């Protein structure tokens, strides 16, 4: 018998001046709410299938979140609508200047790339809304 996973965690990693370009893990946040630190996460693709789950988990664990997507807001009826600590931003991640401007605002503990497809196609439009 396989037991379901009881705890899932989000690990936040940041560059360190002593790491010489390597990424170092700086904190772990578990779904039980034990945290060493909290901060603001930028989730690219925050309205998508994976991105919305990441946004939900991060909020549950005490992070504030900026969710960036073409839609700019969750689908009607989403349980993410109206959640505290969540800011929605509309934009196009294929336009580097838009992502750079958002990241340049600063204050982010981490950035999560949860964009499934960046291709311009009819299939992508159908899948992504």
């Amino acid at each position: 018998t396989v037991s379901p996973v009881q705890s899932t965690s989000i690990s936040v990693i940041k560059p360190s001046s002593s790491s010489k370009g390597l990424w170092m893990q700086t904190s772990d946040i578990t779904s039980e709410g034990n945290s060493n630190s909290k901060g603001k996460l930028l989730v690219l693709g925050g309205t998508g299938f994976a991105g919305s789950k990441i946004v939900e988990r991060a909020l549950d664990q005490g992070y504030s979140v900026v969710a960036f997507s073409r839609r700019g807001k969750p689908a009607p009826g989403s349980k993410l609508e109206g959640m505290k600590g969540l800011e929605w931003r509309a934009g196009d991640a294929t336009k580097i200047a838009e992502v750079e401007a958002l990241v340049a605002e600063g204050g982010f503990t981490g950035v999560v790339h949860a964009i499934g497809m960046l291709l311009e196609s009819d299939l992508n439009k159908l899948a992504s809304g």
Side-chain angles (χ1 to χ4, degrees), residues 80-97:
L80 294 176
E81 276 186 312
M83 289 189 81
K84 291 183 180 182
L86 178 55
E87 180 182 345
W88 296 101
R89 299 282 189 94
D92 184 348
T94 65
K95 296 185 172 131
I96 294 170

Side-chain angles (χ1 to χ4, degrees), residues 63-112:
Y63 283 97
S64 63
V65 176
V66 174
F68 180 79
S69 68
R70 287 178 297 195
R71 221 179 278 145
K73 59 183 178 179
S78 167
K79 61 181 169 180
L80 294 176
E81 276 186 312
M83 289 189 81
K84 291 183 180 182
L86 178 55
E87 180 182 345
W88 296 101
R89 299 282 189 94
D92 184 348
T94 65
K95 296 185 172 131
I96 294 170
E98 288 188 33
V99 176
E100 286 177 336
L102 183 57
V103 171
E105 291 177 14
F108 295 106
T109 301
V111 177
V112 178

Side-chain angles (χ1 to χ4, degrees), residues 52-72:
S52 63
K53 304 292 187 251
I54 293 166
V55 167
E56 182 180 355
R57 179 62 51 90
L59 290 168
D60 286 347
Q61 294 177 12
Y63 283 97
S64 63
V65 176
V66 174
F68 180 79
S69 68
R70 287 178 297 195
R71 221 179 278 145

Side-chain angles (χ1 to χ4, degrees), residues 1-6:
T1 315
V2 177
S3 300
V5 175
Q6 298 298 317

